[in-house]
Amino acid sequence: MNLRHTMKGRRTVTAVAIATGLLLTVAGCGGGGDDKADNSPSSSAPAKNPDTTSGDDEPDAPTENTVLAESKDGDIGLTITSAVRDSGGFVTVSGTVTNSGSRLWTAADWRGDENELRGNASSVAGASLVDQNGKKKYLILRDTEGRCLCTRFTGGVKTGETVDWFAQFPAPPQDTTSVDFQVGSMPPATIELSEDE
């Protein structure tokens, strides 16, 4: 009789454990907190890509970055993939830099001429846009502490590495559609400006 009560107790405990496990499994599969993922854009989409913005409701197809210009100085290759003038009076230029050399690259000759500012080391701070028609040179914008509104290559760019970069400039006049991007000892790269939509 004692054995019979023990077996009944074990069966009850087992049934409760199985029911609890099934209940937790069903609750876990319900996706309670994931409905945000269904309504939001794909997490692989770039945060800001003005070139792919469209007015229709269809999702954007994956596109490769368009190369506007390329420049090379020794083992360092610069690619410009975007040069967008926005309504706030700025131009944001972006792209990639590749170190195909055998040692770390620190962008020493890209940082700019200012001696009083230390926050721009290993950056694109020395870059400029040159408007040949308007005969003007536009330098990278700075924040209130003198740091450039540009990429800083913290720790440098390792051998074989390709990293993204950006730089913000004051926008040239609306009738200027083409400028030369210059940085360090890189040959100038002529780029066409596009408008932010």
Side-chain angles (χ1 to χ4, degrees):
M1 181 136 184
N2 201 4
L3 180 63
R4 204 162 131 200
H5 286 292
T6 303
M7 292 301 288
K8 271 189 174 177
R10 284 186 184 167
R11 282 189 206 133
T12 304
V13 169
T14 303
V16 169
I18 291 172
T20 303
L22 288 173
L23 181 62
L24 291 175
T25 302
V26 170
C29 292
D34 288 343
D35 43 336
K36 181 171 85 174
D38 293 338
N39 297 329
S40 65
S42 170
S43 61
S44 65
K48 180 182 177 185
N49 189 352
D51 293 338
T52 60
T53 304
S54 61
D56 57 359
D57 293 328
E58 297 199 13
D60 294 334
T63 57
E64 291 183 23
N65 284 338
T66 303
V67 175
L68 300 179
E70 293 179 305
S71 190
K72 190 166 173 63
D73 181 30
D75 296 326
I76 305 304
L78 172 83
T79 302
I80 300 172
T81 56
S82 175
V84 180
R85 182 198 323 257
D86 68 24
S87 57
F90 307 111
V91 169
T92 302
V93 181
S94 58
T96 60
V97 63
T98 302
N99 179 3
S100 57
S102 58
R103 55 190 178 148
L104 182 74
W105 178 72
T106 59
D109 68 334
W110 285 24
R111 68 176 171 230
D113 295 331
E114 61 279 297
N115 294 324
E116 70 278 4
L117 304 172
R118 296 184 198 168
N120 294 322
S122 197
S123 72
V124 195
S128 62
L129 295 181
V130 177
D131 175 3
Q132 299 288 353
N133 294 335
K135 300 189 181 340
K136 282 195 173 184
K137 183 176 185 177
Y138 298 90
L139 303 178
I140 289 184
L141 296 168
R142 305 297 203 255
D143 66 13
T144 56
E145 295 178 8
R147 290 185 298 254
C148 74
L149 299 182
C150 68
T151 297
R152 280 177 237 129
F153 302 108
T154 307
V157 179
K158 299 179 180 114
T159 300
E161 188 175 30
T162 297
V163 297
D164 294 329
W165 64 270
F166 83 95
Q168 274 196 319
F169 301 87
Q174 285 292 332
D175 60 347
T176 299
T177 58
S178 173
V179 291
D180 290 341
F181 178 85
Q182 297 179 330
V183 64
S185 55
M186 288 273 177
T190 302
I191 53 177
E192 296 291 323
L193 300 178
S194 61
E195 302 293 327
D196 190 14
E197 296 174 9

